[in-house]
Amino acid sequence: MTTLTHRGRRVEGRNSDKKPDGEEDAAADRDLNEDDPDDSKDIRLTLMEEVLLLGLKDKEGYTSFWNDCISSGLRGGILIELALRGRIRLEPLSLRKKRLLERKVLLKSDAPTGDVLLDETLRHIKATESAETVQTWIELLTGETWNPFKLQYQLRNVRERLAKALVEKGILTTEKQNFLLFDMTTHPVSNASEKQRLVKKLQESVLERWVNDPQRMERRTLALLVLAHASDVLENVFASLADDKYDVAMNRTKDLLDMDPEVEAAKARGTEMIWAVLAAFNKS
């Protein structure tokens, strides 16, 4: 799994209140626009698109060849995004309490989200005969399974599909680069202000807006910090900071990610999937 590095060694309410499924889905999608008022006028990106954008080299248009974590990190982002949109949830706690990594992912609604990757994942979750855990779903969606009967659940070409979505949103462009024996499609950043906005948002969340309590953090910001760490792109977020602020930001983020996922998930139901994904990567 990834580790945080320092600059010196960089290398549900009552039944009567329950809304019909359609209304719940619409409300969950509206929450995406209301979760962070400061971003209401900016381009709306999914968590997966944000993680990929953070991982891309601006001019070169590709992620580091040494990053072997981003693929699984993006799959974890899909699960969190679906949970925040009210499409999936973890099975409820029973009398015999289960740990986060033992609880199954349940389909809450198969209403389309409008995002190709999210909707493809929803179809996979709906098609499974028996429910699977968060960790198992990350492995299945990444293709890291020894079961040949479950290879159909792998999401293919995720980075390229996300990059194309970012091209359509005017944030990336498409180029062809020659690497000696082969040509490779790359996606340099064309809208630098959007990436800077994202970086600044995360920097401020652990500096100017630091609350030292994940339950008081905006959910998507918390999720993005977890996913940036899991995808090994967190260094890119803080690299532009002065040394003293860099150390503060890394130490605070480390404190956040070192918290016990079981304890934090029990405090706020709306963040269970975020902490379950963190627990899955901590165990990897």
Side-chain angles (χ1 to χ4, degrees):
M1 241 336 284
T2 59
T3 57
L4 293 172
T5 59
H6 286 279
R7 184 156 291 185
R9 35 187 191 103
R10 273 214 218 249
V11 190
E12 257 138 55
R14 294 170 299 182
N15 292 336
S16 59
D17 295 330
K18 181 174 174 58
K19 300 178 181 179
D21 288 344
E23 291 184 22
E24 284 192 344
D25 299 335
D29 290 338
R30 282 197 303 273
D31 284 346
L32 292 177
N33 297 317
E34 297 170 357
D35 228 3
D36 194 345
D38 292 345
D39 296 337
S40 59
K41 294 182 180 180
D42 292 297
I43 302 169
R44 177 56 63 181
L45 304 180
T46 64
L47 289 169
M48 306 87 71
E49 291 168 347
E50 290 178 330
V51 169
L52 180 64
L53 185 57
L54 291 173
L56 283 175
K57 299 175 182 292
D58 289 10
K59 295 181 180 180
E60 294 86 346
Y62 51 81
T63 57
S64 170
F65 294 125
W66 307 109
N67 188 335
D68 58 356
C69 302
I70 194 168
S71 291
S72 53
L74 291 172
R75 272 66 172 189
I78 290 174
L79 296 178
I80 294 177
E81 187 77 47
L82 285 172
L84 293 179
R85 294 189 184 211
R87 299 314 195 268
I88 61 174
R89 63 183 176 87
L90 292 181
E91 66 177 331
L93 288 169
S94 59
L95 292 178
R96 181 174 175 267
K97 290 186 178 181
K98 294 183 179 179
R99 298 183 63 80
L100 283 172
L101 294 184
E102 296 173 346
R103 293 165 65 183
K104 308 292 186 180
V105 175
L106 303 180
L107 183 68
K108 188 176 179 182
S109 168
D110 62 354
T113 65
D115 181 275
V116 177
L117 284 172
L118 295 179
D119 291 342
E120 184 177 338
T121 303
L122 271 181
R123 290 193 293 272
H124 287 331
I125 294 175
K126 184 179 180 180
T128 53
E129 294 182 2
S130 58
E132 303 286 359
T133 64
V134 167
Q135 187 165 21
T136 299
W137 267 119
I138 291 175
E139 293 170 355
L140 292 175
L141 296 174
T142 311
E144 297 178 355
T145 175
W146 294 100
N147 188 337
F149 297 104
K150 293 192 174 184
L151 286 175
Q152 73 267 27
Y153 297 129
Q154 180 181 2
L155 296 178
R156 301 182 184 278
N157 304 316
V158 169
R159 268 178 271 190
E160 182 63 23
R161 291 158 76 180
L162 289 172
K164 288 182 178 179
L166 289 169
V167 170
E168 292 176 359
K169 292 179 180 180
I171 298 174
L172 303 181
T173 188
T174 302
E175 295 181 358
K176 287 281 187 180
Q177 289 195 29
N178 181 268
F179 288 86
L180 297 178
L181 300 178
F182 62 94
D183 290 331
M184 187 175 86
T185 301
T186 61
H187 298 282
V189 175
S190 58
N191 185 346
S193 61
E194 181 63 21
K195 183 170 183 177
Q196 286 304 312
R197 179 201 66 81
L198 182 59
V199 169
K200 182 180 178 181
K201 170 185 172 181
L202 291 180
Q203 289 178 352
E204 290 181 346
S205 70
V206 295
L207 292 173
E208 285 85 354
R209 300 181 183 179
W210 181 244
V211 292
N212 198 30
D213 180 2
Q215 305 308 323
R216 294 168 57 197
M217 292 184 70
E218 186 267 319
R219 289 182 303 169
R220 295 185 71 82
T221 300
L222 173 64
L224 191 52
L225 286 171
V226 167
L227 293 170
H229 165 62
S231 304
D232 204 13
V233 300
L234 194 58
E235 172 74 13
N236 299 355
V237 176
F238 301 136
S240 62
L241 292 172
D243 286 354
D244 55 341
K245 289 188 176 181
Y246 174 90
D247 289 338
V248 170
M250 293 301 279
N251 286 329
R252 286 177 174 175
T253 305
K254 183 178 185 301
D255 290 343
L256 176 71
L257 298 172
D258 282 345
M259 291 181 175
D260 187 339
E262 302 288 343
V263 173
E264 299 305 321
K267 293 179 182 177
R269 184 182 175 194
T271 62
E272 280 185 319
M273 190 65 71
I274 299 173
W275 293 108
V277 167
L278 177 61
F281 283 107
N282 285 346
K283 186 178 178 180
S284 299

